[in-house]
């Protein structure tokens, strides 16, 4: 009989309670400061990272190989026969490849690592759907086959408050960043079919960027009922106001707020906002 474990990384934006409720094993990404190395959501919260950004911008790194090994050994000891791993986009992080390589040393575990080609709460939605399938008693093979179908129903979009952090992190050139700031440009970002950041639009000003996101969201809602999550990096009050402005749109089946993992947030900076949308079957 199959005993299936589920693993994801902390880019999924799921809080610890949700992970526990869905029996998901967490591999925390690492947040690295000059003073030390912290595990995302375990040793340091996203809000703590955003509150300290003016003092120091940390770097982010893969979950530690030691922690990955400990989780896989624990699963074997607990009698798991199969493992499904749902990772942040391989185009944005090395987590996917690191997991795949780690599992090669555990031939007793029949495994599958799914590259979501996305990050943040949309990744978390895929994790929750996979957890439901495990609870329903679906087989490893059935779940693996279902994952791309779930992914087709899930996506996310983001906008930033300032280009400063993209500029500091080398994500955009200094000149382009300076010109963009002068023009008050706010990009709307998603990921493309290769899981790389893709600029959907550039609008001037925060108000216009949020209006553009609403316009994009409405395009999905026109197709049918959707579960929506408003995502934010250190701007919960603004995210709550935005949620109030969209919660009554036709076909919003459910709506919530989620805090964006520093895996994305440290590059976008405080004020990064977005939404996740999952179309119902």
């Amino acid at each position: 009989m199959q005993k299936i474990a589920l693993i994801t990384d902390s880019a999924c934006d799921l809080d610890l309670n949700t992970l526990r409720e869905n029996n998901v094993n967490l591999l925390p990404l690492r947040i690295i400061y000059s003073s030390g190395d912290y595990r995302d959501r375990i040793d340091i919260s996203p809000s703590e990272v955003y509150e300290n950004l003016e003092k120091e911008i940390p770097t982010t790194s893969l979950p530690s190989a030691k922690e990955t090994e400990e989780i896989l050994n624990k699963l074997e000891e607990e009698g798991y026969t199969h493992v499904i791993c749902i990772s942040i986009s391989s185009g944005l992080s090395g987590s996917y490849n690191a997991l795949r390589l780690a599992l090669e040393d555990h031939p007793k575990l029949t495994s599958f690592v799914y590259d979501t080609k996305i990050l943040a709460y949309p990744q978390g939605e895929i994790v929750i759907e996979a957890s439901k399938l495990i609870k329903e008693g679906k087989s490893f093979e059935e779940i693996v086959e279902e994952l791309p179908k779930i992914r087709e129903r899930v996506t996310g979009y983001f906008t930033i408050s300032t280009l400063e952090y993209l500029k500091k992190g080398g994500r955009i050139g200094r000149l382009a960043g300076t010109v963009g700031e002068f023009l008050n440009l706010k990009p709307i970002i998603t990921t493309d079919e290769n899981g790389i950041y893709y600029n959907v639009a550039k609008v001037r000003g925060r108000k216009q960027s949020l209006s553009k996101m609403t316009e994009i969201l409405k395009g999905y809602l026109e197709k049918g009922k959707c579960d929506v999550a408003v995502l934010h990096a250190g701007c919960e009050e603004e995210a709550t106001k935005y949620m109030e402005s969209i919660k009554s749109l036709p076909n919003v089946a459910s709506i919530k707020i989620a805090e964006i993992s520093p895996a994305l947030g440290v590059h976008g900076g405080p004020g990064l906002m977005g939404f996740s949308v999952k179309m119902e079957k």
Side-chain angles (χ1 to χ4, degrees), residues 4-9 19 23-27 68 71-72 75 82-87 99 103 109 112-114 123 127 134:
I4 306 168
L6 190 56
I7 298 176
T8 193
D9 53 68
L19 291 164
N23 198 26
V24 181
N25 296 273
L26 178 68
L27 283 175
T68 303
I71 285 178
L72 295 177
L75 294 176
H82 294 69
V83 177
I84 294 172
C85 305
I86 297 174
S87 85
L99 264 169
L103 282 158
L109 294 170
F112 179 73
V113 185
Y114 183 64
Q123 176 187 336
V127 173
I134 292 172

Side-chain angles (χ1 to χ4, degrees), residues 8-9 49 84 123 126 142 248 260:
T8 193
D9 53 68
V49 174
I84 294 172
Q123 176 187 336
I126 299 169
E142 287 173 317
S248 298
I260 294 170

Side-chain angles (χ1 to χ4, degrees), residues 6-281:
L6 190 56
I7 298 176
T8 193
D9 53 68
S10 61
C12 69
D13 285 357
L14 298 176
D15 61 50
L16 296 180
N17 284 335
T18 301
L19 291 164
R20 275 191 290 268
E21 286 167 8
N22 289 280
N23 198 26
V24 181
N25 296 273
L26 178 68
L27 283 175
L29 293 157
R30 288 150 53 218
I31 314 296
I32 304 167
Y33 287 94
S34 55
S35 60
D37 193 327
Y38 300 85
R39 294 172 299 166
D40 182 20
R41 294 186 185 267
I42 305 293
D43 304 321
I44 192 167
S45 69
S47 57
E48 286 175 302
V49 174
Y50 301 133
E51 285 164 10
N52 288 314
L53 276 179
E54 285 190 12
K55 297 175 187 172
E56 183 179 355
I57 301 174
T59 57
T60 57
S61 189
L62 312 178
S64 76
K66 180 186 174 189
E67 195 145 16
T68 303
E69 194 62 22
E70 285 173 354
I71 285 178
L72 295 177
N73 286 334
K74 175 180 77 79
L75 294 176
E76 285 187 346
E77 289 165 9
E78 291 175 354
Y80 283 92
T81 57
H82 294 69
V83 177
I84 294 172
C85 305
I86 297 174
S87 85
I88 180 177
S89 170
S90 62
L92 302 173
S93 168
S95 292
Y96 168 78
N97 281 324
L99 264 169
R100 207 169 39 80
L101 290 170
L103 282 158
E104 286 180 5
D105 294 329
H106 292 266
K108 290 180 182 177
L109 294 170
T110 301
S111 61
F112 179 73
V113 185
Y114 183 64
D115 180 359
T116 63
K117 303 206 184 300
I118 204 162
L119 77 169
Y121 200 80
Q123 176 187 336
E125 288 279 30
I126 299 169
V127 173
I128 291 170
E129 289 293 309
S131 170
K132 288 177 183 174
L133 293 175
I134 292 172
K135 289 175 184 174
E136 289 169 10
K138 300 293 184 185
S139 70
F140 173 82
E141 293 77 13
E142 287 173 317
I143 298 169
V144 166
E145 188 179 333
E146 193 66 25
L147 288 174
K149 298 173 188 174
I150 297 169
R151 174 64 181 87
E152 285 176 6
R153 297 190 285 115
V154 179
T155 193
Y157 292 83
F158 307 89
T159 187
I160 58 177
S161 178
T162 172
L163 297 174
E164 177 188 353
Y165 294 88
L166 287 176
K167 197 164 64 170
K168 285 179 177 176
R171 263 42 184 197
I172 55 173
R174 193 163 293 278
L175 177 61
T178 302
V179 171
E181 285 175 348
F182 178 73
L183 295 173
N184 199 21
L185 291 178
K186 311 295 181 188
I188 310 292
I189 302 164
T190 187
T191 52
D192 63 16
E193 65 275 9
N194 297 311
I196 307 293
Y197 289 135
Y198 170 67
N199 202 353
V200 178
K202 286 180 185 174
V203 293
R204 294 183 72 169
R206 182 68 156 185
K207 187 176 179 182
Q208 290 301 314
S209 68
L210 295 179
S211 293
K212 183 64 178 176
M213 283 211 304
T214 302
E215 182 186 319
I216 293 168
L217 174 60
K218 284 178 178 176
Y220 289 95
L221 294 172
E222 284 170 5
K223 299 172 187 175
K225 289 192 176 296
C226 297
D227 296 317
V228 178
V230 175
L231 318 175
H232 76 93
C235 55
E236 186 173 3
E237 187 176 331
E238 187 179 17
T240 302
K241 287 179 182 175
Y242 182 68
M243 182 179 73
E244 289 297 319
S245 75
I246 63 172
K247 69 178 185 181
S248 298
L249 290 174
N251 282 333
V252 173
S254 70
I255 193 163
K256 64 179 72 172
I257 287 183
E259 197 164 26
I260 294 170
S261 162
L264 171 59
V266 295
H267 305 304
L272 176 69
M273 268 182 59
F275 71 81
S276 164
V277 58
K278 181 182 72 177
M279 292 175 281
E280 294 190 351
K281 286 182 183 178

